[in-house]
Amino acid sequence: MYYRGNYMDSGDAREMGFKRQRIMDQGSSYYATPPGSSYMYNPPPPPPPPSYSYHGQPPPFPVVRLRGLPFDCSETEIADFLHGLDVVDVLLVHKGGRFTGEAYCVLGYPLQVDFALQRNRQNIGRRYVEVFRSKKEEYYKAIANEVYDSRGGSVPRARSADESKDLAEHTGVLWLRGLPFSASKEDIIDFFKDFELPEKSIHITATFEGRPTGEAFVEFASADDSRAAMAKDRMTIGNRYIELFASSSEELEEAVSRGRVLEKPVDGRDPNEVTSILRMRGLPFSAGKDDIMDFFKDFALTEDAIHVTFLSDGRPTGEAFVEFASTDDAKAALAKDRMTLGSRYVELFPSSIEDMNHAVSRGR
């Protein structure tokens, strides 16, 4: 167990730190402090966080999940990986007594989660580490599993995958896995032919090289429709059976912001064909329209031509769409691909008015 600092913006996280301290004091094998070393220390409290608003909602629990950690990774190395952030707790996840390569990190306050996500795919040693937004419930469940395992107790029988799917909460979004790499939006519409799906509701994901991943997200008209569509779970497209999972608009937005999405409009336009609109990915979360105008200072842009996108709760996605005066300007602007804005390199992709409007309409 790693605990740092006295200040916490979230009472739940502070209380959890105290609870885990008591567990460690009771001699739990995973939380016990090794002889001759201690991860428990209390430096001076960090300065108060900047003010921020959550639109009348309580602030989210400040926790992230890390995946792909080296199997000899220590809590201190994880804290170093998140240097500059207030790491309150690090929970290494074990299964059957072995480290899984995953961990949960509780941070000082919710705004730091966005900064932690910027460390996604950076390295610890020779391995790159993936960073995901997580939830308080997932963190608590991981703690409970560690406690059961460390005390030699029996963990209640885990639900089967089918039982979990039946009990999953539906929000109107499904995640598809196992698609043929040649699958198109038309194939997915035909797969769900009992439902009314426009092409813009289907998002086929791709690798950074632009190759399909065999996965997609589908937005249904309602949660009832997505629940009914689960009847198609493990049915086939071509010679491959397709697995369906309940998802959410947040997971969809995160997938869109992290990886390229193959968008092919109804008119059959090549998604790599240059139009007068470019999509920017990898922006610092603090980037504003002035920063983007300075990035493209060789082109005549107005603020109205720049559209920074946001998640449904008002947080920036790290993406923006820019409307240039002409296709030639947009093509010339692609020379800025992978150049830096602040400390981050920015990727540029050809886009369209339809993609831009859809992305802007999903946020606020």
Side-chain angles (χ1 to χ4, degrees), residues 7-10 46-50 52 54 60 62 86 107-113:
Y7 171 75
M8 269 300 298
D9 186 57
S10 167
Y52 44 87
Y54 291 93
D86 300 308
L107 303 172
Y109 47 91
L111 188 62
Q112 290 193 338
V113 170

Side-chain angles (χ1 to χ4, degrees), residues 140-162:
Y140 278 25
K141 184 177 179 181
I143 291 173
N145 288 339
E146 293 290 292
V147 173
Y148 273 116
D149 202 11
S150 65
R151 291 179 177 174
S154 59
V155 179
R157 180 185 68 87
R159 293 190 181 103
S160 68
D162 290 337

Side-chain angles (χ1 to χ4, degrees), residues 1 24 104 115 117 146 157 183 196-199 210 235 239 246 256 264 268 288 306 310 321 342 350:
M1 203 265 300
M24 189 184 75
Y104 289 88
F115 292 107
L117 292 175
E146 293 290 292
R157 180 185 68 87
E196 203 168 310
L197 293 174
E199 283 205 0
M235 292 190 180
N239 60 355
V256 170
K264 183 182 178 184
I306 298 169
F310 297 87
F321 290 81

